[in-house]
Amino acid sequence: MQRFPPKPPSAIMLFMTLRHQNPAYREPEGFIALITAIILTVILLTLTISINSLGYFTRSEILGAEFKERSSALAEACADRAIQNLIADPDYAGGETVTVGSDECSIDSVTPSGSTATIQTSAAYPSGSNGAATTLEIEVETEVFSIESWREVP
């Protein structure tokens, strides 16, 4: 069997040998764990922010629905008052503000037309620019005072 002379070490082998002989050199340990922890932290932070903002916007939608419910109830209270005033006085024309508890609504107009009258009421809750507003238009048959139509108008 023939023996060949040993190959001279390559540059890479020399570097690896010298690197491992250096006492200050250490293999990078924990690099993958560190990157994984950073990625998981970013994902969890994003998820937390998304859920938090979802709760914030849901709360404002619920508050808006509550305001709309209150303004509708106020406008309906004015409609009931307008019908009551129309029964007491067939020439009632509206144009008044009614106080309901600590809130207000208005009977905008009562317009007679033959045997019917159209009542328009409005209310805003809370009063101001950030509240919900409701405007109702009610058509009442004036001989027996039955409600022909009751709808919200823009």
Side-chain angles (χ1 to χ4, degrees):
M1 170 160 186
Q2 190 177 7
R3 294 188 122 172
F4 295 103
K7 287 184 178 178
S10 68
I12 295 175
M13 289 299 289
L14 274 173
F15 175 72
M16 298 279 289
T17 305
L18 291 174
R19 188 175 70 178
H20 286 293
Q21 289 175 355
N22 183 358
Y25 175 78
R26 290 181 47 202
E27 282 289 326
E29 296 173 5
F31 180 73
I32 294 174
L34 179 64
I35 296 300
T36 303
I38 290 171
I39 290 172
L40 286 176
T41 301
V42 168
I43 290 171
L44 290 174
L45 188 61
T46 304
L47 184 66
T48 302
I49 290 171
S50 298
I51 289 173
N52 190 19
S53 64
L54 179 66
Y56 177 77
F57 291 123
T58 301
R59 186 182 71 193
S60 69
E61 287 178 16
I62 290 172
L63 186 62
E66 176 70 23
F67 287 170
K68 183 63 177 177
E69 227 176 274
R70 296 282 298 263
S71 71
S72 293
L74 286 168
E76 289 175 8
C78 270
D80 290 340
R81 173 65 66 89
I83 293 170
Q84 181 184 20
N85 290 347
L86 191 60
I87 290 171
D89 179 12
D91 295 326
Y92 178 68
E96 70 174 306
T97 300
V98 178
T99 302
V100 180
S102 61
D103 303 314
E104 292 181 342
C105 60
S106 64
I107 303 170
D108 298 327
S109 64
V110 178
T111 310
S113 174
S115 64
T116 62
T118 303
I119 302 169
Q120 188 158 3
T121 65
S122 61
Y125 184 85
S127 56
S129 61
N130 291 335
T134 302
T135 303
L136 295 178
E137 187 174 272
I138 302 100
E139 191 172 312
V140 178
E141 199 278 312
T142 55
E143 291 178 11
V144 290
F145 294 101
S146 63
I147 297 172
E148 301 294 320
S149 71
W150 185 295
R151 64 188 177 103
E152 183 175 353
V153 294

